[in-house]
Amino acid sequence: MFGNISDADIERVVGFCTQLCATGGVLVWTRHRKQPDLSPQIRRWLEERGFTRGWLSEPGAGFGVGVHRFTGRPQPLISGRRMFTFVGYDVLARRAAASDTGSAPSA
């Protein structure tokens, strides 16, 4: 699911996972391993919030899957907050291309 939302939304979802997982709960997430490979950053975000890595696919595997166990204390669910906006790969690719050229991104 982390392949079709912005990097900022990925970090936001990771933050929500402390509200959605019980201690000992297992989180399975997906994200491509193509460049730029955000998987190491996702791993850091999870570990900063009390998740322990169980497994992460190798960069050359052709797929990206991570498994983390929540070892922290669950946080109360905050209702009424947006977790993410699904934008699709095409929109993310246009945004990345626009940031590389310095032009304004299109929606």
Side-chain angles (χ1 to χ4, degrees), residues 25-27 29 43 46-47 51-54 66-70:
V26 175
L27 173 67
W29 55 272
R43 187 189 76 236
L46 286 164
E47 291 169 1
F51 287 84
T52 302
R53 180 173 62 172
V67 179
H68 281 74
R69 181 173 302 279
F70 185 50

Side-chain angles (χ1 to χ4, degrees), residues 31-97:
R31 165 75 182 198
H32 67 78
R33 298 299 306 260
K34 300 176 213 164
Q35 293 301 317
D37 184 0
L38 194 63
S39 297
Q41 181 60 55
I42 294 169
R43 187 189 76 236
R44 282 189 289 275
W45 287 331
L46 286 164
E47 291 169 1
E48 289 169 356
R49 289 164 176 86
F51 287 84
T52 302
R53 180 173 62 172
W55 185 78
L56 180 62
S57 62
E58 294 295 324
F63 58 88
V65 177
V67 179
H68 281 74
R69 181 173 302 279
F70 185 50
T71 57
R73 293 188 74 203
Q75 300 300 306
L77 181 62
I78 300 171
S79 64
R81 294 188 55 203
R82 177 183 62 87
M83 287 178 52
F84 66 91
T85 300
F86 179 83
V87 292
Y89 182 77
D90 57 332
V91 173
L92 293 172
R94 282 196 303 272
R95 287 180 185 172

Side-chain angles (χ1 to χ4, degrees), residues 10-31:
I10 292 171
E11 185 175 13
R12 184 178 301 111
V13 169
V14 167
F16 271 97
C17 288
T18 64
Q19 300 173 40
L20 299 171
C21 292
T23 300
V26 175
L27 173 67
V28 179
W29 55 272
T30 61
R31 165 75 182 198

